Amino acid sequence: MARRFGVESGIIGVTAAAVVSVVVAGALAFSNVGGPSKAEAEGVGSGQQKAKRAAAPVSPDLVHASDRPGRSLNITIDDGPSPVWTPKVLEVLKKYDVKAVFCMIGPQAEAHPDLVKKVVAAGHKLCDHTVSHNTAMDKKPQSYQSQEILDAQKMIEKASGGAQVEYYRAPGGAFTPYSRKLAADHGMRPLGWNIDSKDFEGGTVGRIESTVRGEIPTRSGPTVLFHDGGGDRSRTVDSLNRLLPWMQSQGFGFGFPQR
């Protein structure tokens, strides 16, 4: 009898424990109804960002035109960020209340995340300018182009703290149909230019200024190219200090390239 009682007691104990487990599990499940888990909650932001990009298809066609109606220009700044020149360019743009697109090289952005964040915080937009700035990109295999473009995009977005890279500009304009479509499929509009300041050629400030002034009235598109990286950009800073107020005096406003 004692043994029989012990077996029955064990059965009763197991049954009671099972009931308690079911009740606890049900309570836990009920407490999570309508709310994501911690892991799910942590992934909501990135998921929403990806969904937003997927919901807004981007054209693979090369863009020059401004999203601002009327007499408008797009200012674009390439090859940075540079710890020496990017802050100076930002100061000039702020002085004249002008927004620009900064076409950044991936490792430069990775090395100077504080500058990338400053660019974003000031209301400017980001552009992927590849990892190694190879001006023969159009002669390279698709696998190389893909790595250059997508790795740089990741570097720039990470350095920015998650801001979207909205444009892609091939070094030296070395676009291919593949690279344009790849960029567009990843939310980046291929960005060209049709007014080249030639500030990278080492000319005087006066020469840079006359080049831009001479091309603006005759060119059909409004995207102007300057640089904040790749060398001494003191002439670029001085040129922007002269050209931006002149552009405004000619009735130009400043927008961003169309998306």
Side-chain angles (χ1 to χ4, degrees), residues 92 205 209 233-243:
V92 177
V205 173
E209 189 178 4
R233 298 301 174 214
S234 57
R235 289 179 295 275
T236 299
V237 174
D238 291 343
S239 298
L240 284 169
N241 246 321
R242 295 187 187 188
L243 284 166

Side-chain angles (χ1 to χ4, degrees), residues 141-148 178:
Q142 291 182 355
S143 58
Y144 176 90
Q145 296 178 49
S146 177
Q147 186 172 6
E148 283 282 313
Y178 171 79

Side-chain angles (χ1 to χ4, degrees), residues 32-229:
N32 282 330
V33 172
S37 67
K38 182 180 179 182
E40 290 170 336
E42 289 174 348
V44 166
S46 60
Q48 287 176 341
Q49 188 177 36
K50 289 178 182 177
K52 183 179 178 182
R53 293 181 189 179
V58 174
S59 170
D61 295 335
L62 203 62
V63 67
H64 303 101
S66 177
D67 64 0
R68 181 182 181 275
R71 195 168 168 81
S72 183
L73 296 170
N74 304 322
I75 302 298
T76 61
I77 314 289
D78 283 20
D79 296 356
S82 157
V84 175
W85 304 113
T86 301
K88 295 181 185 299
V89 169
L90 285 171
E91 286 177 12
V92 177
L93 293 172
K94 182 178 179 181
K95 179 179 178 181
Y96 297 106
D97 193 24
V98 173
K99 305 303 179 189
V101 177
F102 282 76
C103 300
M104 298 184 175
I105 296 173
Q108 287 293 108
E110 192 173 53
H112 306 290
D114 55 326
L115 291 178
V116 183
K117 290 179 176 68
K118 283 182 180 179
V119 166
V120 173
H124 307 292
K125 294 195 175 184
L126 301 174
C127 173
D128 178 337
H129 205 35
T130 74
V131 172
S132 59
H133 198 270
N134 188 339
T135 55
M137 280 274 291
D138 54 341
K139 306 294 192 300
K140 296 294 184 179
Q142 291 182 355
S143 58
Y144 176 90
Q145 296 178 49
S146 177
Q147 186 172 6
E148 283 282 313
I149 295 167
L150 299 185
D151 283 1
Q153 182 185 27
K154 290 175 185 175
M155 291 176 185
I156 298 165
E157 288 188 345
K158 182 177 179 181
S160 74
Q164 184 179 359
V165 178
E166 297 190 34
Y167 305 94
Y168 163 65
R169 173 174 278 168
F175 290 96
T176 66
Y178 171 79
S179 68
R180 288 190 288 105
K181 185 177 186 306
L182 179 73
D185 287 346
H186 286 80
M188 299 181 289
R189 182 74 187 265
L191 174 59
W193 69 87
N194 43 17
I195 300 173
D196 186 351
S197 69
K198 300 191 183 300
D199 59 340
F200 62 92
E201 291 187 355
T204 65
V205 173
R207 182 177 176 182
I208 295 169
E209 189 178 4
S210 63
T211 296
V212 174
R213 286 193 183 201
E215 292 195 21
I216 281 180
T218 58
R219 294 299 180 111
S220 59
T223 297
V224 191
L225 170 64
F226 295 96
H227 296 78
D228 65 339

